[in-house]
Amino acid sequence: MAVKRKMSGAGVSVPVGIVIGIAVSVAAALLGALLIAYLVLCETVPMDGAGLGAHCAVLASSALGCLIAFTLTKKQRILVSALTALGFFLVLLSVTAIWFDGVFAGVGLSALMILLGAGGSLLPGLRKKSGKSRIKIPRYR
């Protein structure tokens, strides 16, 4: 007979979760860049607004990647979010160094947006989870 086992709910390992979070962040940033380029080509957004849109896309992609990484690992929320944000920042720096000839203009603002996105993904876990509180009613015999 087959034995039914209860799933422990343990997620993937921390390094695997971080790598998946970084990949999700990069994919979301690419989709954000495509959306901004489409909006600029359709003349919905002026060319001057593309920089602000890029920073918003980086913020959202960082938050999404950190959120996905934590939900997969299910442990050490702050560490996983910080390492995912750091990995995403290093990926963006390496892309800048390789394809844009090392012109690091606006790196500080991008780092701030990544940090804000990682911090924003931590906000939902700050509130206390109110579990079912059972009040024991004493029995008198």
Side-chain angles (χ1 to χ4, degrees):
M1 282 172 77
V3 177
K4 290 186 179 180
R5 295 183 184 172
K6 185 178 178 183
M7 295 298 291
S8 65
V12 297
S13 67
V14 173
V16 172
I18 290 170
V19 168
I20 291 172
I22 292 170
V24 167
S25 292
V26 170
L30 287 175
L31 286 176
L34 285 174
L35 178 68
I36 293 166
Y38 176 75
L39 290 174
V40 167
L41 284 176
C42 291
E43 296 179 359
T44 307
V45 175
M47 190 65 182
D48 297 336
L52 178 64
H55 289 301
C56 290
V58 166
L59 184 134
S61 63
S62 173
L64 181 68
C66 291
L67 191 65
I68 294 291
F70 171 71
T71 55
L72 288 177
T73 57
K74 298 180 182 171
K75 54 189 166 197
Q76 299 177 345
R77 184 180 191 104
I78 296 174
L79 178 70
V80 169
S81 294
L83 289 178
T84 303
L86 179 67
F88 181 51
F89 181 65
L90 291 177
V91 166
L92 289 182
L93 278 180
S94 64
V95 166
T96 301
I98 292 172
W99 280 304
F100 298 112
D101 296 329
V103 178
F104 294 106
V107 172
L109 188 57
S110 295
L112 179 66
M113 291 295 131
I114 291 171
L115 185 65
L116 286 176
S121 69
L122 292 173
L123 288 178
L126 288 180
R127 65 180 183 168
K128 292 183 179 179
K129 295 181 182 178
S130 60
K132 293 182 181 178
S133 60
R134 292 181 45 159
I135 300 173
K136 187 173 182 181
I137 300 172
R139 258 188 174 166
Y140 297 105
R141 296 183 198 189

Short mmCIF file of all heavy atoms in Angstrom, two decimals, residues 62-111:
data_model
loop_
_atom_site.label_atom_id
_atom_site.label_comp_id
_atom_site.label_asym_id
_atom_site.label_seq_id
_atom_site.Cartn_x
_atom_site.Cartn_y
_atom_site.Cartn_z
N SER A 62 12.41 44.83 -9.91
CA SER A 62 13.13 44.44 -8.70
C SER A 62 12.17 43.92 -7.64
O SER A 62 12.43 42.90 -6.99
CB SER A 62 13.93 45.62 -8.16
OG SER A 62 14.50 45.31 -6.92
N ALA A 63 11.05 44.61 -7.46
CA ALA A 63 10.06 44.17 -6.48
C ALA A 63 9.48 42.81 -6.86
O ALA A 63 9.32 41.93 -6.00
CB ALA A 63 8.95 45.20 -6.36
N LEU A 64 9.20 42.61 -8.13
CA LEU A 64 8.64 41.34 -8.59
C LEU A 64 9.63 40.20 -8.41
O LEU A 64 9.26 39.12 -7.94
CB LEU A 64 8.20 41.44 -10.05
CG LEU A 64 7.57 40.19 -10.64
CD1 LEU A 64 6.23 39.93 -10.00
CD2 LEU A 64 7.44 40.33 -12.14
N GLY A 65 10.88 40.43 -8.76
CA GLY A 65 11.89 39.39 -8.61
C GLY A 65 12.12 39.00 -7.16
O GLY A 65 12.24 37.82 -6.83
N CYS A 66 12.17 39.99 -6.27
CA CYS A 66 12.35 39.69 -4.84
C CYS A 66 11.15 38.97 -4.27
O CYS A 66 11.30 38.06 -3.45
CB CYS A 66 12.61 40.98 -4.07
SG CYS A 66 14.20 41.73 -4.44
N LEU A 67 9.96 39.34 -4.71
CA LEU A 67 8.75 38.69 -4.22
C LEU A 67 8.70 37.23 -4.69
O LEU A 67 8.38 36.33 -3.90
CB LEU A 67 7.53 39.45 -4.71
CG LEU A 67 6.19 39.09 -4.10
CD1 LEU A 67 6.19 39.43 -2.63
CD2 LEU A 67 5.08 39.80 -4.83
N ILE A 68 9.04 36.99 -5.93
CA ILE A 68 9.05 35.62 -6.46
C ILE A 68 10.12 34.79 -5.75
O ILE A 68 9.88 33.63 -5.39
CB ILE A 68 9.30 35.63 -7.98
CG1 ILE A 68 8.13 36.28 -8.71
CG2 ILE A 68 9.56 34.24 -8.53
CD1 ILE A 68 6.85 35.51 -8.69
N ALA A 69 11.29 35.37 -5.54
CA ALA A 69 12.37 34.63 -4.88
C ALA A 69 11.99 34.24 -3.47
O ALA A 69 12.25 33.11 -3.03
CB ALA A 69 13.65 35.47 -4.86
N PHE A 70 11.33 35.14 -2.74
CA PHE A 70 10.96 34.78 -1.37
C PHE A 70 9.84 33.75 -1.34
O PHE A 70 9.85 32.84 -0.52
CB PHE A 70 10.53 36.00 -0.57
CG PHE A 70 9.95 35.61 0.75
CD1 PHE A 70 10.75 35.10 1.74
CD2 PHE A 70 8.60 35.70 0.98
CE1 PHE A 70 10.22 34.71 2.94
CE2 PHE A 70 8.06 35.29 2.17
CZ PHE A 70 8.86 34.80 3.16
N THR A 71 8.87 33.88 -2.23
CA THR A 71 7.78 32.91 -2.21
C THR A 71 8.25 31.52 -2.60
O THR A 71 7.65 30.53 -2.18
CB THR A 71 6.62 33.35 -3.12
OG1 THR A 71 7.12 33.58 -4.43
CG2 THR A 71 5.95 34.59 -2.59
N LEU A 72 9.31 31.44 -3.37
CA LEU A 72 9.84 30.12 -3.72
C LEU A 72 10.67 29.52 -2.58
O LEU A 72 10.61 28.32 -2.35
CB LEU A 72 10.70 30.21 -4.98
CG LEU A 72 9.94 30.43 -6.28
CD1 LEU A 72 10.93 30.58 -7.44
CD2 LEU A 72 9.00 29.28 -6.55
N THR A 73 11.44 30.34 -1.89
CA THR A 73 12.30 29.80 -0.84
C THR A 73 11.58 29.63 0.49
O THR A 73 11.89 28.72 1.24
CB THR A 73 13.52 30.70 -0.62
OG1 THR A 73 13.08 32.01 -0.29
CG2 THR A 73 14.40 30.74 -1.84
N LYS A 74 10.66 30.51 0.81
CA LYS A 74 9.86 30.46 2.03
C LYS A 74 10.67 30.55 3.32
O LYS A 74 10.29 30.02 4.34
CB LYS A 74 9.00 29.20 2.06
CG LYS A 74 8.00 29.14 0.95
CD LYS A 74 7.17 27.90 1.01
CE LYS A 74 6.23 27.89 -0.17
NZ LYS A 74 5.54 26.63 -0.31
N LYS A 75 11.82 31.16 3.26
CA LYS A 75 12.62 31.37 4.46
C LYS A 75 13.58 32.52 4.23
O LYS A 75 13.91 32.85 3.10
CB LYS A 75 13.40 30.11 4.85
CG LYS A 75 14.26 29.54 3.74
CD LYS A 75 14.81 28.19 4.13
CE LYS A 75 15.37 27.52 2.89
NZ LYS A 75 15.54 26.11 3.07
N GLN A 76 14.01 33.15 5.32
CA GLN A 76 14.99 34.23 5.31
C GLN A 76 14.62 35.32 4.31
O GLN A 76 15.33 35.62 3.36
CB GLN A 76 16.38 33.69 5.02
CG GLN A 76 16.87 32.71 6.06
CD GLN A 76 18.22 32.13 5.72
OE1 GLN A 76 18.68 32.26 4.60
NE2 GLN A 76 18.84 31.51 6.70
N ARG A 77 13.49 35.96 4.57
CA ARG A 77 12.92 36.93 3.65
C ARG A 77 13.86 38.09 3.33
O ARG A 77 14.04 38.45 2.17
CB ARG A 77 11.62 37.46 4.25
CG ARG A 77 10.88 38.40 3.38
CD ARG A 77 9.60 38.86 4.07
NE ARG A 77 8.77 39.56 3.14
CZ ARG A 77 7.69 39.07 2.58
NH1 ARG A 77 7.31 37.86 2.88
NH2 ARG A 77 6.99 39.78 1.75
N ILE A 78 14.48 38.67 4.34
CA ILE A 78 15.33 39.84 4.12
C ILE A 78 16.60 39.45 3.36
O ILE A 78 17.01 40.15 2.43
CB ILE A 78 15.67 40.52 5.46
CG1 ILE A 78 14.39 41.05 6.11
CG2 ILE A 78 16.68 41.64 5.28
CD1 ILE A 78 14.59 41.61 7.49
N LEU A 79 17.21 38.34 3.72
CA LEU A 79 18.43 37.90 3.05
C LEU A 79 18.17 37.58 1.59
O LEU A 79 18.94 37.99 0.71
CB LEU A 79 19.01 36.68 3.77
CG LEU A 79 20.26 36.08 3.15
CD1 LEU A 79 21.43 37.02 3.34
CD2 LEU A 79 20.55 34.71 3.73
N VAL A 80 17.10 36.87 1.32
CA VAL A 80 16.78 36.49 -0.06
C VAL A 80 16.48 37.74 -0.90
O VAL A 80 16.95 37.87 -2.03
CB VAL A 80 15.61 35.49 -0.08
CG1 VAL A 80 15.09 35.28 -1.49
CG2 VAL A 80 16.05 34.16 0.50
N SER A 81 15.73 38.67 -0.32
CA SER A 81 15.41 39.90 -1.06
C SER A 81 16.66 40.74 -1.33
O SER A 81 16.84 41.26 -2.43
CB SER A 81 14.40 40.73 -0.29
OG SER A 81 13.18 40.06 -0.21
N ALA A 82 17.52 40.84 -0.33
CA ALA A 82 18.74 41.64 -0.50
C ALA A 82 19.67 41.02 -1.54
O ALA A 82 20.23 41.73 -2.39
CB ALA A 82 19.47 41.78 0.83
N LEU A 83 19.84 39.72 -1.49
CA LEU A 83 20.74 39.07 -2.45
C LEU A 83 20.16 39.07 -3.87
O LEU A 83 20.91 39.18 -4.84
CB LEU A 83 21.06 37.65 -2.00
CG LEU A 83 21.97 37.55 -0.77
CD1 LEU A 83 22.17 36.10 -0.38
CD2 LEU A 83 23.29 38.22 -1.04
N THR A 84 18.85 38.97 -3.98
CA THR A 84 18.23 39.05 -5.30
C THR A 84 18.40 40.46 -5.88
O THR A 84 18.73 40.61 -7.06
CB THR A 84 16.74 38.70 -5.20
OG1 THR A 84 16.61 37.39 -4.63
CG2 THR A 84 16.09 38.70 -6.56
N ALA A 85 18.19 41.48 -5.06
CA ALA A 85 18.38 42.85 -5.53
C ALA A 85 19.84 43.11 -5.90
O ALA A 85 20.12 43.76 -6.91
CB ALA A 85 17.92 43.83 -4.45
N LEU A 86 20.77 42.60 -5.10
CA LEU A 86 22.19 42.78 -5.41
C LEU A 86 22.56 42.07 -6.71
O LEU A 86 23.28 42.62 -7.54
CB LEU A 86 23.05 42.25 -4.26
CG LEU A 86 24.56 42.34 -4.45
CD1 LEU A 86 25.00 43.80 -4.46
CD2 LEU A 86 25.28 41.57 -3.38
N GLY A 87 22.05 40.88 -6.90
CA GLY A 87 22.32 40.15 -8.15
C GLY A 87 21.74 40.86 -9.36
O GLY A 87 22.38 40.93 -10.41
N PHE A 88 20.53 41.40 -9.22
CA PHE A 88 19.91 42.14 -10.31
C PHE A 88 20.72 43.40 -10.63
O PHE A 88 20.93 43.73 -11.80
CB PHE A 88 18.47 42.48 -9.94
CG PHE A 88 17.72 43.24 -10.99
CD1 PHE A 88 17.67 42.80 -12.30
CD2 PHE A 88 17.04 44.40 -10.66
CE1 PHE A 88 16.97 43.50 -13.26
CE2 PHE A 88 16.35 45.11 -11.62
CZ PHE A 88 16.31 44.66 -12.92
N PHE A 89 21.20 44.09 -9.60
CA PHE A 89 22.02 45.27 -9.81
C PHE A 89 23.33 44.91 -10.52
O PHE A 89 23.77 45.62 -11.44
CB PHE A 89 22.31 45.95 -8.48
CG PHE A 89 23.13 47.19 -8.59
CD1 PHE A 89 22.65 48.30 -9.25
CD2 PHE A 89 24.39 47.26 -8.03
CE1 PHE A 89 23.41 49.46 -9.35
CE2 PHE A 89 25.16 48.40 -8.12
CZ PHE A 89 24.66 49.50 -8.79
N LEU A 90 23.95 43.81 -10.13
CA LEU A 90 25.19 43.38 -10.80
C LEU A 90 24.95 42.98 -12.25
O LEU A 90 25.80 43.22 -13.11
CB LEU A 90 25.83 42.23 -10.02
CG LEU A 90 26.41 42.62 -8.66
CD1 LEU A 90 26.95 41.38 -7.94
CD2 LEU A 90 27.48 43.67 -8.80
N VAL A 91 23.79 42.38 -12.53
CA VAL A 91 23.47 42.04 -13.91
C VAL A 91 23.31 43.32 -14.74
O VAL A 91 23.83 43.41 -15.86
CB VAL A 91 22.19 41.17 -13.98
CG1 VAL A 91 21.64 41.11 -15.39
CG2 VAL A 91 22.46 39.78 -13.47
N LEU A 92 22.63 44.32 -14.18
CA LEU A 92 22.47 45.58 -14.90
C LEU A 92 23.81 46.29 -15.10
O LEU A 92 24.06 46.89 -16.15
CB LEU A 92 21.49 46.49 -14.18
CG LEU A 92 20.02 46.08 -14.21
CD1 LEU A 92 19.17 47.10 -13.48
CD2 LEU A 92 19.54 45.90 -15.63
N LEU A 93 24.69 46.22 -14.10
CA LEU A 93 26.02 46.82 -14.25
C LEU A 93 26.83 46.11 -15.33
O LEU A 93 27.54 46.75 -16.12
CB LEU A 93 26.78 46.77 -12.93
CG LEU A 93 26.48 47.86 -11.91
CD1 LEU A 93 27.34 47.65 -10.68
CD2 LEU A 93 26.71 49.23 -12.49
N SER A 94 26.74 44.78 -15.37
CA SER A 94 27.50 44.05 -16.39
C SER A 94 26.96 44.32 -17.78
O SER A 94 27.72 44.41 -18.75
CB SER A 94 27.50 42.55 -16.08
OG SER A 94 26.18 42.04 -16.15
N VAL A 95 25.65 44.46 -17.92
CA VAL A 95 25.07 44.80 -19.22
C VAL A 95 25.54 46.19 -19.65
O VAL A 95 25.90 46.41 -20.82
CB VAL A 95 23.52 44.74 -19.15
CG1 VAL A 95 22.88 45.41 -20.34
CG2 VAL A 95 23.07 43.30 -19.05
N THR A 96 25.60 47.12 -18.70
CA THR A 96 26.09 48.46 -19.01
C THR A 96 27.56 48.42 -19.42
O THR A 96 27.97 49.11 -20.37
CB THR A 96 25.92 49.38 -17.79
OG1 THR A 96 24.53 49.43 -17.46
CG2 THR A 96 26.40 50.78 -18.09
N ALA A 97 28.35 47.64 -18.73
CA ALA A 97 29.78 47.57 -19.03
C ALA A 97 30.04 46.93 -20.39
O ALA A 97 30.95 47.33 -21.11
CB ALA A 97 30.51 46.79 -17.94
N ILE A 98 29.23 45.94 -20.76
CA ILE A 98 29.49 45.21 -22.01
C ILE A 98 28.93 45.95 -23.22
O ILE A 98 29.63 46.19 -24.20
CB ILE A 98 28.91 43.79 -21.92
CG1 ILE A 98 29.71 42.98 -20.91
CG2 ILE A 98 28.94 43.10 -23.28
CD1 ILE A 98 29.13 41.62 -20.60
N TRP A 99 27.65 46.32 -23.17
CA TRP A 99 27.01 46.84 -24.38
C TRP A 99 27.02 48.35 -24.50
O TRP A 99 26.83 48.87 -25.59
CB TRP A 99 25.57 46.33 -24.47
CG TRP A 99 25.51 44.93 -25.00
CD1 TRP A 99 26.02 44.49 -26.17
CD2 TRP A 99 24.93 43.81 -24.36
NE1 TRP A 99 25.79 43.15 -26.30
CE2 TRP A 99 25.12 42.70 -25.20
CE3 TRP A 99 24.26 43.63 -23.16
CZ2 TRP A 99 24.66 41.45 -24.87
CZ3 TRP A 99 23.81 42.36 -22.85
CH2 TRP A 99 24.01 41.30 -23.70
N PHE A 100 27.19 49.06 -23.42
CA PHE A 100 27.15 50.52 -23.50
C PHE A 100 28.50 51.14 -23.21
O PHE A 100 28.58 52.28 -22.76
CB PHE A 100 26.08 51.06 -22.55
CG PHE A 100 24.70 50.60 -22.90
CD1 PHE A 100 24.02 49.73 -22.06
CD2 PHE A 100 24.10 50.99 -24.07
CE1 PHE A 100 22.75 49.28 -22.38
CE2 PHE A 100 22.83 50.55 -24.40
CZ PHE A 100 22.16 49.69 -23.54
N ASP A 101 29.56 50.42 -23.44
CA ASP A 101 30.94 50.89 -23.33
C ASP A 101 31.28 51.47 -21.96
O ASP A 101 32.12 52.36 -21.84
CB ASP A 101 31.24 51.95 -24.42
CG ASP A 101 31.15 51.37 -25.82
OD1 ASP A 101 31.45 50.17 -25.96
OD2 ASP A 101 30.78 52.10 -26.74
N GLY A 102 30.64 50.98 -20.94
CA GLY A 102 30.97 51.38 -19.58
C GLY A 102 30.57 52.78 -19.21
O GLY A 102 31.16 53.38 -18.33
N VAL A 103 29.56 53.34 -19.88
CA VAL A 103 29.07 54.67 -19.53
C VAL A 103 28.07 54.48 -18.38
O VAL A 103 26.94 54.07 -18.59
CB VAL A 103 28.39 55.37 -20.73
CG1 VAL A 103 27.85 56.72 -20.32
CG2 VAL A 103 29.38 55.50 -21.87
N PHE A 104 28.52 54.75 -17.17
CA PHE A 104 27.71 54.49 -15.99
C PHE A 104 26.96 55.75 -15.56
O PHE A 104 27.09 56.20 -14.43
CB PHE A 104 28.59 53.98 -14.85
CG PHE A 104 29.19 52.64 -15.13
CD1 PHE A 104 30.54 52.52 -15.43
CD2 PHE A 104 28.42 51.50 -15.10
CE1 PHE A 104 31.10 51.29 -15.69
CE2 PHE A 104 28.97 50.26 -15.36
CZ PHE A 104 30.31 50.16 -15.65
N ALA A 105 26.16 56.31 -16.43
CA ALA A 105 25.37 57.49 -16.09
C ALA A 105 24.05 57.04 -15.47
O ALA A 105 23.35 56.18 -16.00
CB ALA A 105 25.10 58.32 -17.34
N GLY A 106 23.72 57.59 -14.32
CA GLY A 106 22.46 57.26 -13.67
C GLY A 106 22.46 55.96 -12.90
O GLY A 106 21.40 55.41 -12.62
N VAL A 107 23.65 55.45 -12.56
CA VAL A 107 23.72 54.19 -11.84
C VAL A 107 23.22 54.35 -10.41
O VAL A 107 22.57 53.45 -9.87
CB VAL A 107 25.18 53.64 -11.86
CG1 VAL A 107 25.33 52.43 -10.97
CG2 VAL A 107 25.57 53.29 -13.27
N GLY A 108 23.48 55.48 -9.81
CA GLY A 108 23.04 55.70 -8.43
C GLY A 108 21.53 55.70 -8.31
O GLY A 108 20.97 55.11 -7.38
N LEU A 109 20.84 56.33 -9.25
CA LEU A 109 19.39 56.35 -9.23
C LEU A 109 18.81 54.96 -9.50
O LEU A 109 17.82 54.56 -8.90
CB LEU A 109 18.86 57.36 -10.23
CG LEU A 109 17.37 57.65 -10.19
CD1 LEU A 109 16.95 58.12 -8.81
CD2 LEU A 109 17.00 58.67 -11.24
N SER A 110 19.47 54.23 -10.39
CA SER A 110 19.03 52.85 -10.65
C SER A 110 19.22 51.98 -9.42
O SER A 110 18.36 51.15 -9.09
CB SER A 110 19.80 52.25 -11.82
OG SER A 110 19.50 52.93 -13.01
N ALA A 111 20.33 52.16 -8.72
CA ALA A 111 20.56 51.40 -7.49
C ALA A 111 19.52 51.75 -6.44
O ALA A 111 19.03 50.86 -5.71
CB ALA A 111 21.97 51.68 -6.96
#
